[in-house]
Amino acid sequence: MLSEERFERILEILKNNNTVTVTELVDELDTSESTIRRDLNYLDKQKKLKKIHGGAKALKTIYDGKDDEVVIRQALNVKDKLSIAKYAAKLIKENDCVYIDAGTTTELMIDYITENNAIYITNGIAHAKKLIQKKCNVYILGGELKLATEAIVGIEAIDSLKKYNFTKGFFGTNGIHKDSGFTTPDIQEALVKREAFNKSNEAYILADESKFDHIAAITFADIDKGIIITTELEDKDIKKYTEILEVNKR
């Protein structure tokens, strides 16, 4: 198969599936792995696709319209989330006043927390329970319970946040985009995130690579206002716009 034919076929596959692995392309195009990697490098330089670890994805922004249930999100990208969570937990120091946002990666982070001489505030039901079990000093926001994310939201939660000044805040996000910033689908949850984010001296976004180039309905913070903790990125372009801490996978 000529290179031009392979390029066309690769882009056609991405148009239908959004992402593809090198292994899948080797099987589909009946060619060598080295040839596929060379093709992906070329198409990436031509701005026809975006290379990612182990494959490629289509050059298009993905729009997220709703939150998946917690049990669904807990099963996604677990290896990356564990690496991110472990790194984030080590950032907490004695006498910190810490906000921990509801989310699956922030919940995993609690498993690695060793600092008991800090104050923890959260809007996550599961998060509060795990912190108590670790004998941490923990406060939970008041307000309405959102079932999908098991988060406390609403005006009461926002009012609860106004009295705090966090040394560090740790947040989940549905999307990260250079123009739209950090986004989430639900307005109620976005407003709580925004208030807590703005009350944090250092605001960390815990996000695996699947969150990049995604946009949800509501922006809760601009891209340059948070420090992103993620695993090693194939596409380094986002580093032009904000600080990123890349961690090694477990």
Side-chain angles (χ1 to χ4, degrees), residues 97-99 121 161 164-169 196 199-202:
C97 181
V98 180
Y99 182 77
I121 299 91
L161 284 165
Y164 292 108
N165 295 294
F166 305 116
T167 55
K168 297 181 177 79
K199 300 288 285 185
S200 299
N201 185 51
E202 297 174 3

Side-chain angles (χ1 to χ4, degrees), residues 86-102:
K86 187 174 183 178
Y87 182 94
K90 292 180 180 178
L91 297 175
I92 299 172
K93 306 301 181 185
E94 185 177 6
N95 298 321
D96 269 338
C97 181
V98 180
Y99 182 77
I100 301 181
D101 181 36

